[in-house]
Amino acid sequence: MDEHELQDKDQEDRPEIDRAPLRDILINALHEDTIVWDSQFISMVKQDHGWLLHFKNGKSFYADLVIAADGANSKIRPYLTDIKPIYSGVTIVEGNIYEAEKNTPKLWEITKGGKVFALGNGQSIILSAKGEGSLSFYTGCKVPENWGQESGIDFNNKQQVFEWFKVAFSS
């Protein structure tokens, strides 16, 4: 879609979908047993017009198409390119607020069903409304590459993350 060619730039014309519903649509369009679940990928070898994938449980499966959706450090990446990911200097802390209209009504209202970006002081905060009523948030900070491991923050502890956030984003 090219928004520059639209006469009436109406938000309703934007073809957006949350990841989870898109995932469900794609999965439901496949034949049963197309996806191999609960199998840890080990390696793959080019075979015919596709790939033979090997898994930790000893099973192997042929696929004419392999989709890697496991991030920058993908186990599939080395089969596609020699280019290694590099740290950009920015670390993102991500979270979700479920039932956002009830739990954080002011933030829910600010997004108006879309996204809000706040940038400044080498930091960013992004709020993104999801179709099922949650808000995803992303904070970006310029910190050393190993900050996540060395910060002392237990990212499973909401209170510790909140205390860090109040200090880091106070200005």
Side-chain angles (χ1 to χ4, degrees):
M1 174 178 180
D2 185 348
E3 290 184 352
H4 300 287
E5 293 182 14
L6 290 177
Q7 296 294 332
D8 298 318
K9 296 181 181 179
D10 187 359
Q11 180 179 344
E12 299 302 317
D13 293 331
R14 295 177 57 116
E16 293 188 17
I17 187 169
D18 294 337
R19 288 180 185 177
L22 176 60
R23 176 183 177 262
D24 291 343
I25 289 169
L26 294 172
I27 288 172
N28 291 333
L30 298 171
H31 294 290
E32 198 172 321
D33 297 327
T34 299
I35 299 175
V36 178
W37 297 104
D38 301 318
S39 297
Q40 184 178 355
F41 173 83
I42 293 179
S43 65
M44 63 186 202
V45 212
K46 188 80 173 136
Q47 186 178 74
D48 300 324
H49 297 289
W51 297 91
L52 184 62
L53 290 89
H54 302 284
F55 296 91
K56 190 174 183 177
N57 61 11
K59 295 182 179 179
S60 296
F61 296 92
Y62 174 83
D64 55 356
L65 174 67
V66 177
I67 299 173
D70 54 346
N73 294 313
S74 169
K75 299 212 183 317
I76 303 295
R77 177 188 286 269
Y79 296 92
L80 304 176
T81 181
D82 292 333
I83 299 171
K84 303 231 184 291
I86 59 167
Y87 180 60
S88 69
V90 175
T91 292
I92 294 175
V93 175
E94 174 183 353
N96 295 295
I97 303 168
Y98 299 103
E99 298 180 37
E101 188 172 15
K102 179 180 91 176
N103 293 320
T104 55
K106 289 181 182 177
L107 293 179
W108 181 253
E109 178 59 31
I110 288 170
T111 65
K112 295 186 181 352
K115 293 177 178 40
V116 174
F117 291 71
L119 310 168
N121 298 326
Q123 297 175 312
S124 63
I125 300 175
I126 302 169
L127 285 174
S128 178
K130 302 299 178 187
E132 91 300 357
S134 70
L135 283 174
S136 290
F137 62 86
Y138 312 88
T139 64
C141 302
K142 292 182 179 181
V143 293
E145 184 172 2
N146 295 322
W147 173 83
Q149 295 83 14
E150 297 171 356
S151 67
I153 300 168
D154 175 357
F155 288 95
N156 292 311
N157 182 315
K158 293 177 189 176
Q159 192 59 42
Q160 281 188 26
V161 175
F162 185 50
E163 294 302 322
W164 159 77
F165 176 79
K166 288 191 300 188
V167 171
F169 285 81
S170 64
S171 56

